[in-house]
Amino acid sequence: MADVNVPLADRPSAGGDRAARAGEPTWDVIELLFFAYRDFIGDADDVLAKLGFGRAHHRVLHFVNRNPGMKVAELLDLLKITKQSLGRVLKQLIDQGYVIQKEGANDRRQRLLYVTPKGEALAMKLAGLQTARIARAISELGPNAHEATCRLLAAMINADHRDGVLRFIARADRVRRQRS
């Protein structure tokens, strides 16, 4: 395994000298992202598999936990999945007591989603596993690594979605602080 203390730009890459090979894929970064994602999500996958849940359940639980009272329509838009896919996953989470659904106060057709205490406990367990992995990685990178990581990941989001995602994260952080 490559030494994480050596900047990627200083490592030999599968494509050789990037400057001399303009247009060559950044194989090392692509592959590191694949493997990092595999291991990042794998910690949670192991816990979810024991409950008969998968990654879709994890995403729903994560975002409902971060945004109590989220509308089903907002969740569909955020996750970019079909109503049918969300319906199946949501039904399982509701039936097993992880999520509850309430009518909107102003519009009874709205379905607002909340995690139950059981759902919050699971969401926090999964987030804890992922936070530990991120913290280990960031601790190896030195000062300002958290901010640089956030900038990199934000820059990878499609530009037309980026502002909305960043607003969503900021709003979820405010809600979480208010609940604490």
Side-chain angles (χ1 to χ4, degrees), residues 36-110:
Y37 179 74
R38 175 200 65 193
D39 293 348
F40 170 75
I41 202 69
D43 297 331
D45 283 351
D46 293 340
V47 172
L48 293 161
K50 291 174 184 160
L51 299 169
F53 292 157
R55 292 179 184 170
H57 297 87
H58 184 189
R59 286 189 296 273
V60 168
L61 197 58
H62 172 87
F63 287 111
V64 172
N65 181 58
R66 290 274 291 156
N67 298 276
M70 175 178 237
K71 297 174 194 161
V72 170
E74 291 172 326
L75 188 56
L76 281 168
D77 186 51
L78 180 74
L79 297 177
K80 305 289 185 218
I81 60 175
T82 65
K83 194 183 267 191
Q84 182 180 2
S85 295
L86 178 59
R88 179 186 54 79
V89 167
L90 201 49
K91 181 176 178 358
Q92 289 174 318
L93 289 169
I94 291 169
D95 289 350
Q96 294 190 32
Y98 291 93
V99 172
I100 59 171
Q101 180 170 260
K102 297 180 181 178
E103 290 178 347
N106 299 331
D107 183 348
R108 296 178 58 184
R109 294 172 298 176
Q110 286 181 334

Side-chain angles (χ1 to χ4, degrees), residues 151-172:
R151 284 194 315 272
L152 169 71
L153 294 172
M156 291 184 70
I157 298 167
N158 287 344
D160 55 336
H161 296 123
R162 191 174 305 142
D163 288 342
V165 167
L166 295 175
R167 280 192 305 274
F168 174 86
I169 292 168
R171 183 177 66 237

Side-chain angles (χ1 to χ4, degrees), residues 134-146:
I134 291 166
R136 279 192 308 271
I138 286 177
S139 73
E140 294 180 26
L141 299 178
N144 303 316
H146 180 96

